[in-house]
Amino acid sequence: MSSTPEIPRVVVIGAGIVGCSLADELTARGWTDVTVLEQGPLPAPGGSTSHAPGLVFQTNSSKTLTALARYTVEKFTSLDVDGVSCFHQVGGLELATTPERLAELHRRAGYAASWGVRGEIVSAARCKELWPLIDESLVLGGFHTPDDGLARALLASRAQMARASARGARFLDRHTVTGIEREGGRVTGVVTDRGTFPADHIVSAAGFWGPVIGRMAGIDVPLQPLAHQYARTGPLPELSGATAEASKPILRFQDRDLYFREHTDRIGIGSYAHRPLPVDPFAVLPYDEARARNMDMPSSYPFTEEDWSPSWADCRQLMPTLRDAEIETGFNGVFSFTPDGMPVLGESRRLRGFWLAEAVWVTHSAGVAKAVAEWMVDGRPAIDLHECDLTRFEEAQRSPSYVLERGAQQFVEVYDVIHPLQPVERPRPLRVSPFHARQRQLGAYFLEGGGWERPHWYEANAPLVDALGPLPARDAWSARHWSPVAAAEAKATREGVALYDMTPLRRLEVTGPGSLDFLDRMTSNNLRKKPGAVTYSLLLDASGGIRSDLTVARLAPDRFQVGANSPADLDWLLRHAPADVHIRDITSGTCCVGVWGPLARDLVQPLTPDDFSHEAFGYFRARETYIGHVPVTAMRLSYVGELGWELYTTADLGLRLWDTLWEAGRELGVIAAGRSAFNSLRLEKGYRAWGVDMTDEHDPFEAGVGFAVRMDRDDFVGRAALAGKGEATRRLTPLLLEDPAAVVLGKEPVYVDGLPAGYVTSASYGYTLGRCVAYAWLPAGLPTGTGVHIEYVGEKVPATVADEPLFDPKMMRIRR
């Protein structure tokens, strides 16, 4: 293979809005040798961009998606073609016709305030002013966002094509990709029906054809195309004389899975109310063949009248003027869904230089292009993309049947009111720990994460609730997927002993003669300790951002067990591992029980031949021993702030381990406890959750985990960047809500001196403290005792900046 030239050769597959945006962003950063290949004709090649209605609502419960949409609005507003702007900023309006939806709009207004989007809750009368055609009597209120609007996707594509071409990029239509060339684990070129194009980097921005391109590269793309109904009315008398493309805000009627926009004197209507209509990406017709079959384009399928009828009735109810109108045109447009509704971005480790920028809607297109361009040119995007990373799915979530089923469900749920703890409904159960049968016997209430069934509390512990005394009443939203049993389980952990199923936590085995040097270089803390040591450390990127946090147990001179977070951690380590280091994900073949509480030693000591006293088995130590007949790796760790151990064994012995602990603990009053209590206890102790409280947008010192960074040792990834950082301007800050009955859940805006100043990351009621605990990113330097307000469903809830840890600050309960 030829050596990489000074300016890398990039081939982008797909000249839709993502491909055009990416070419513009790459060439603006000096990567000017960019070729964009498109199978259809330009400038309207027939993919999703060509039929997209262009509605851009920026606000999302995901901070990342909101940031991507904000940049898209900012960029498209700055672009024009022949004096016509690529973004028509008419604003956005979301309607509530039920109390549940109105509460959801208040939460969405909170997201907007948290993420920096202008928006406000407005009255039904104001909704009528903004959209005179609606029946005001049906409406309870709305959420108005003045900076949202209509992206003119084809114009934006043309504008960015012109800019990228002026810098040296070339756009070639009528080129059908037929293969990906590779050598030595790297891409070398793209094969088309009109020749081969050498490449150092290939980006698949093929939209719903992404799985087709992925198969050519040997890379699975977890994306399911589905068809979505869009219709236009005939001319409406109420809009006669209109000359502008649109004058009213883009409109959502989410209670009926509908959205609306003007087309001069007509109205365009999109519906998610119909049955999922999956499309096989390998069966989509080429452009010319689609046209020959009287289809406008490959992505435009025939309109199915039978699916439209219920939605048309709902449209006519909301807008009485439509009762005399007819549908003039309609089609079923194809676009992409993933199992979790997020884009799929990043470079494949298995085929270096092969990038994905897939499952991207127009709303996020320019933002995604900027982030991917930064990733390619600078080595990292400027914003956190872990929710979009192509490595995020577990192996069990990548099967075609899973992608189809979950993708279809994402379509169904597009406008649903989704609780932050709401689990997927199907396919379940998918992954279960060896303790699952016992957990069911104890009445476990399971939620799901990463495909795992995770007990959140156990109905067997309901009798313990009576001893608690009265608990604060919860509103319907915060009471969902919650039980007072969680309070009883937290109390039992603080006062006795409890078993926690920690099996879903990721475990990696790192071995080989170079393992110590490798892990020491890749992580922030000092790992050069004798076997038996456990170290809390961080995976940083080159800029000092927190990619993940780890617990690293040195079990032998050249053998480590690493407690990690997502599949991305394994991918990151494998990308950097030298030949003398071997890394293996052992999660599925092992299991773990957390034994925590002041009576933990009383439970485990009689079961093991080893000395589990504090003197013989100190905090953050590990040893391989036995619990009864079961060989275990015992680590003296505690994520709940109490004495205890994490006990690991192989999956085949897991049930025996659980039963041994359960039987021996009966006389001590042992209970099984779930994730709800676990989350409460860890927040009282101030323990961070990566991906929620901190990401690679944050450095360790502002995130409050600077203790895991040893700046006095040899070089490690991120050290140089941290050495050059100045004083932090923000801090992850603990808050205590003042009202003992108040609860927040996370992502709410925090107000300081009446102005939005940050947002809550995670929160839970602290049953030991008798107050809700919330962690929030806020300006640095707020003194303890500073009063703030957290906006929860439209209400301003008072809270106070607190010192941490809130519970057991001297660590007496853990180290005893």
Side-chain angles (χ1 to χ4, degrees):
M1 187 180 77
S2 62
S3 59
T4 302
E6 186 175 343
I7 297 178
R9 299 165 298 182
V10 181
V11 174
V12 178
I13 301 172
I17 188 63
V18 178
C20 292
S21 297
L22 181 58
D24 183 43
E25 296 287 341
L26 285 171
T27 55
R29 288 165 174 77
W31 282 25
T32 53
D33 190 349
V34 175
T35 301
V36 183
L37 301 174
E38 174 54 57
Q39 63 180 344
L42 290 175
S48 300
T49 301
S50 300
H51 68 66
L55 284 73
V56 176
F57 287 89
Q58 299 172 83
T59 305
N60 194 283
S61 60
S62 165
K63 180 175 178 288
T64 295
L65 287 187
T66 303
L68 297 173
R70 285 181 62 190
Y71 181 77
T72 300
V73 168
E74 175 187 325
K75 184 176 187 181
F76 288 0
T77 302
S78 72
L79 299 175
D80 71 86
V81 175
D82 299 330
V84 179
S85 174
C86 294
F87 192 79
H88 190 21
Q89 206 155 42
V90 291
L93 179 64
E94 302 178 42
L95 301 178
T97 59
T98 65
E100 294 77 16
R101 180 66 62 179
L102 185 59
E104 172 69 0
L105 295 188
H106 276 287
R107 285 187 288 270
R108 289 182 59 76
Y111 299 145
S114 290
W115 317 142
V117 176
R118 287 201 304 154
E120 64 173 339
I121 298 297
V122 296
S123 66
R126 177 59 177 152
C127 292
K128 179 71 171 179
E129 290 176 9
L130 292 166
W131 254 91
L133 302 186
I134 66 171
D135 181 350
E136 180 185 353
S137 68
L138 299 177
V139 179
L140 301 181
F143 175 44
H144 181 223
T145 46
D147 299 328
D148 289 340
L150 293 165
R152 297 180 172 116
L154 287 177
L155 278 188
S157 296
R158 287 175 56 193
Q160 293 176 103
M161 285 172 60
R163 299 203 321 181
S165 297
R167 302 187 192 108
R170 56 179 177 166
F171 292 79
L172 304 176
D173 63 2
R174 300 293 188 173
H175 282 66
T176 300
V177 174
T178 59
I180 304 295
E181 292 188 334
R182 67 199 91 170
E183 182 180 328
R186 288 200 61 89
V187 299
T188 59
V190 178
V191 183
T192 77
D193 58 350
R194 298 174 66 178
T196 298
F197 297 83
D200 303 298
H201 296 273
I202 298 169
V203 185
S204 177
F208 57 78
W209 284 287
V212 178
I213 303 301
R215 180 175 292 181
M216 296 178 192
I219 304 299
D220 67 305
V221 180
L223 174 162
Q224 176 60 52
L226 288 110
H228 160 61
Q229 291 200 305
Y230 191 78
R232 290 194 195 192
T233 68
L236 300 177
E238 292 82 357
L239 299 180
S240 64
T243 57
E245 177 187 3
S247 60
K248 302 174 186 61
I250 53 177
L251 182 69
R252 275 174 166 169
F253 181 23
Q254 289 134 308
D255 288 324
R256 291 295 183 269
D257 296 309
L258 294 166
Y259 63 81
F260 305 83
R261 59 153 295 180
E262 296 167 283
H263 292 280
T264 312
D265 61 349
R266 294 160 168 81
I267 292 179
I269 307 163
S271 172
Y272 293 100
H274 56 82
R275 62 194 167 95
L277 300 168
V279 172
D280 180 358
F282 295 90
V284 176
L285 298 176
Y287 186 91
D288 292 328
E289 189 173 340
R291 297 284 290 178
R293 296 193 186 187
N294 295 318
M295 295 168 61
D296 288 339
M297 59 190 81
S299 61
S300 178
Y301 278 51
F303 194 63
T304 49
E305 294 282 356
E306 66 275 15
D307 293 307
W308 177 251
S309 296
S311 291
W312 187 225
D314 290 330
C315 294
R316 288 169 157 176
Q317 183 182 21
L318 178 68
M319 298 184 190
T321 187
L322 297 180
R323 292 169 188 168
D324 298 322
E326 298 293 336
I327 294 300
E328 187 174 77
T329 61
F331 65 95
N332 290 1
V334 182
F335 64 137
S336 303
F337 286 82
T338 59
D340 59 3
M342 302 293 286
V344 181
L345 312 177
E347 182 192 23
S348 168
R349 176 179 50 82
R350 295 176 179 174
L351 183 58
R352 299 296 180 90
F354 184 79
W355 295 77
L356 295 179
E358 297 291 8
V360 182
W361 294 7
V362 171
T363 299
H364 312 108
S365 55
V368 162
K370 175 176 181 287
V372 172
E374 291 168 341
W375 207 342
M376 296 175 70
V377 176
D378 304 327
R380 72 181 297 274
I383 66 170
D384 167 47
L385 290 181
H386 83 273
E387 293 177 307
C388 308
D389 195 300
L390 62 86
T391 65
R392 69 187 182 272
F393 295 111
E394 303 285 347
E395 196 64 31
Q397 298 173 305
R398 304 185 78 96
S399 69
S401 59
Y402 185 94
V403 173
L404 171 60
E405 190 166 5
R406 290 304 309 148
Q409 191 61 27
Q410 286 295 326
F411 177 92
V412 170
E413 295 175 351
V414 161
Y415 283 165
D416 285 1
V417 177
I418 303 294
H419 192 275
L421 292 177
Q422 184 169 319
V424 302
E425 295 180 2
R426 300 182 306 273
R428 290 181 65 192
L430 183 62
R431 307 176 78 187
V432 298
S433 81
F435 323 130
H436 185 70
R438 298 293 184 264
Q439 292 165 346
R440 292 185 62 188
Q441 291 168 3
L442 293 170
Y445 182 86
F446 291 102
L447 298 182
E448 185 266 358
W452 288 100
E453 294 295 317
R454 303 179 185 225
H456 271 241
W457 67 83
Y458 295 85
E459 285 301 324
N461 297 323
L464 301 177
V465 174
D466 295 337
L468 293 176
L471 289 170
R474 289 201 172 206
D475 67 282
W477 186 250
S478 65
R480 194 177 298 183
H481 304 298
W482 174 86
S483 168
V485 172
E489 292 176 358
K491 184 173 187 289
T493 306
R494 291 278 188 240
E495 296 179 357
V497 61
L499 305 184
Y500 287 81
D501 182 1
M502 306 301 290
T503 300
L505 298 185
R506 185 167 306 279
R507 293 172 290 285
L508 309 177
E509 181 184 70
V510 182
T511 59
S515 55
L516 175 59
D517 289 341
F518 169 67
L519 288 173
D520 203 46
R521 183 178 71 256
M522 294 299 297
T523 67
S524 64
N525 212 334
N526 175 29
L527 302 184
R528 297 188 180 279
K529 303 172 184 176
K530 294 179 180 179
V534 183
T535 306
Y536 177 79
S537 195
L538 305 171
L539 280 181
L540 305 178
D541 61 24
S543 69
I546 305 170
R547 286 190 57 91
S548 189
D549 62 344
L550 312 173
T551 54
V552 183
R554 191 178 189 188
L555 302 179
D558 294 336
R559 180 164 62 92
F560 295 81
Q561 181 171 308
V562 177
N565 286 295
S566 75
D569 296 346
L570 174 63
D571 186 84
W572 176 256
L573 292 173
L574 286 171
R575 285 175 186 268
H576 294 87
D580 61 349
V581 173
H582 310 286
I583 305 171
R584 187 166 63 98
D585 190 329
I586 60 173
T587 309
S588 297
T590 57
C591 59
C592 178
V593 181
V595 184
W596 290 313
L599 299 181
R601 184 175 287 115
D602 298 282
L603 174 54
V604 298
Q605 183 62 83
L607 300 174
T608 180
D610 284 285
D611 185 352
F612 271 45
S613 69
H614 181 65
E615 294 73 21
F617 197 158
Y619 191 50
F620 267 83
R621 298 293 298 172
R623 67 174 54 169
E624 292 173 313
T625 182
Y626 291 87
I627 296 294
H629 298 290
V630 179
V632 300
T633 299
M635 298 186 196
R636 183 142 174 227
L637 306 175
S638 175
Y639 206 54
V640 300
E642 294 292 338
L643 171 70
W645 289 264
E646 293 178 358
L647 302 176
Y648 299 87
T649 192
T650 52
D652 59 320
L653 291 167
L655 192 58
R656 183 61 178 264
L657 174 62
W658 180 279
D659 288 345
T660 300
L661 293 166
W662 188 261
E663 187 62 32
R666 282 189 176 185
E667 63 183 33
L668 299 172
V670 71
I671 67 160
R675 299 286 299 183
S676 187
F678 177 89
N679 197 47
S680 171
L681 297 169
R682 71 101 180 165
L683 280 170
E684 288 184 333
K685 196 62 183 163
Y687 293 146
R688 277 62 168 153
W690 183 84
V692 179
D693 298 315
M694 56 189 186
T695 68
D696 60 6
E697 288 186 1
H698 310 110
D699 73 53
F701 302 108
E702 61 189 10
V705 289
F707 63 87
V709 179
R710 289 290 299 272
M711 296 294 291
D712 59 346
R713 67 182 185 85
D714 291 341
D715 195 26
F716 57 87
V717 175
R719 184 186 185 282
L722 292 180
K725 285 188 179 288
E727 280 293 313
T729 59
R730 59 184 177 179
R731 298 280 185 190
L732 187 60
T733 305
L735 304 174
L736 276 177
L737 275 63
E738 294 181 7
D739 183 352
V743 173
V744 299
L745 300 180
K747 300 186 178 181
E748 298 89 356
V750 181
Y751 292 78
V752 179
D753 296 330
L755 297 174
Y759 59 91
V760 174
T761 57
S762 55
S764 179
Y765 200 85
Y767 302 109
T768 316
L769 303 173
R771 293 286 191 280
C772 183
V773 180
Y775 271 77
W777 281 101
L778 291 173
L782 293 179
T784 299
T786 299
V788 302
H789 287 86
I790 303 172
E791 184 177 334
Y792 178 73
V793 197
E795 299 289 330
K796 296 287 180 54
V797 180
T800 304
V801 173
D803 279 327
E804 62 174 342
L806 301 167
F807 176 78
D808 188 27
K810 295 184 178 180
M811 304 284 284
M812 299 297 291
R813 298 175 71 90
I814 292 176
R815 295 190 172 102
R816 60 179 174 182

